[in-house]
Amino acid sequence: MTTKTAAPGRLRPVDRTRPTRTRRRESLTALGMAAPAVVLLIVFLVVPVVLAFALAFTDARLVSPTPARFVGLRNFRLLFDDPVFYKSLRNTAYFAAVVVPLQAGLALVLALLVNAKVRGVNFFRTVYFLPVVTSMVVVSLLWTFLYRQDGLVNRVISALTLGHVDGPDWLGNPDTAILAVILMSVWQGVGFHMVIWLAGLQTIPAELYEAADLDGATRWHRFRHVTWPGLRATRTFVLVTITIAAFSLFTQIRVMTQGGPLDSTTSVVYQAVHAGYDQQQTAYAAAISLVFFVLVLSVSLVQRFLTREKG
């Protein structure tokens, strides 16, 4: 639409196509900026979920000369009759039940310590965070050597007890293998959540602490009535992320124990990968993955409901 020069004293016609053209250009720009993320989301999340759902109801194998056939719920019946699945489910639940409160609590304690304004606090923040930036594979290999019968852990135990106590075979004993993995996992991940807690602590207004001091509040009352309520959103994020990571236990098991001894450290994710790649039972692994997805989603929703902000 073209505009004509208006005569003196008359209003100039309004070009109504310009706002529409501007909005269209902004929409195309936004779509172009979001396109890479949307494509990655579809390729690495939506497509695998759809494929896993479809494969779970077939007899597909990783390498097979015959095409996959629809078998209904057979894979799920086999799964729920598999004693190894229940053992892996129990191991995963035990791992999460211990790691979530232990890692979250220890990370909060460290965050409170390094939140103090004293000289050298940045050094300790760096030291606590170093295991996080180290590959889990490297950390698992390092701790595998530490847990050996003649490793550093048993040497320290022997030195502290003046040679009266010999440390166990940490990764070779079904009673201590999962505990050894838990201790290593907490040590490796506590630094990340310490930083998250620290960020939450620094968002609490200093005026609240000053008011608590004027009221003569002790350190415990300051933490209970000022710090802990101020960490509500941070608390939810930390608990959810630790829970998801705990249920995703795989790398440590793959490197350190391979699910043994006697399946005492087998996790749900490890069983799915082992079935899908080592045993080439792709459909069975897809069924395990679907059950794992429902499990993690249910736990996350319950956890989110329990930690929601009550208005």
Side-chain angles (χ1 to χ4, degrees), residues 104 107-108 111 193-201 228 231 234-235 238:
L108 178 57
H193 294 97
M194 177 201 70
V195 173
I196 303 300
W197 284 120
L198 185 61
L201 288 172
W228 189 244
L231 293 173
T234 306
R235 183 167 67 242
V238 168

Side-chain angles (χ1 to χ4, degrees), residues 103 107 128-133 186-198 237-238 241-242:
Q103 185 166 315
Y128 295 147
F129 193 75
L130 275 178
V132 179
V133 298
V186 171
W187 176 85
Q188 193 273 340
V190 71
F192 173 76
H193 294 97
M194 177 201 70
V195 173
I196 303 300
W197 284 120
L198 185 61
F237 177 79
V238 168
T241 53
I242 296 179

Side-chain angles (χ1 to χ4, degrees), residues 13-58:
V14 179
D15 187 358
R16 300 183 180 277
T17 62
R18 181 170 300 174
T20 303
R21 200 178 300 126
T22 302
R23 286 196 297 268
R24 187 181 299 114
R25 190 183 306 114
E26 292 176 350
S27 300
L28 291 176
T29 302
L31 182 61
M33 297 178 66
V38 173
V39 171
L40 291 176
L41 186 67
I42 293 175
V43 172
F44 292 103
L45 181 63
V46 178
V47 172
V49 170
V50 173
L51 287 177
F53 185 83
L55 290 174
F57 299 94
T58 68

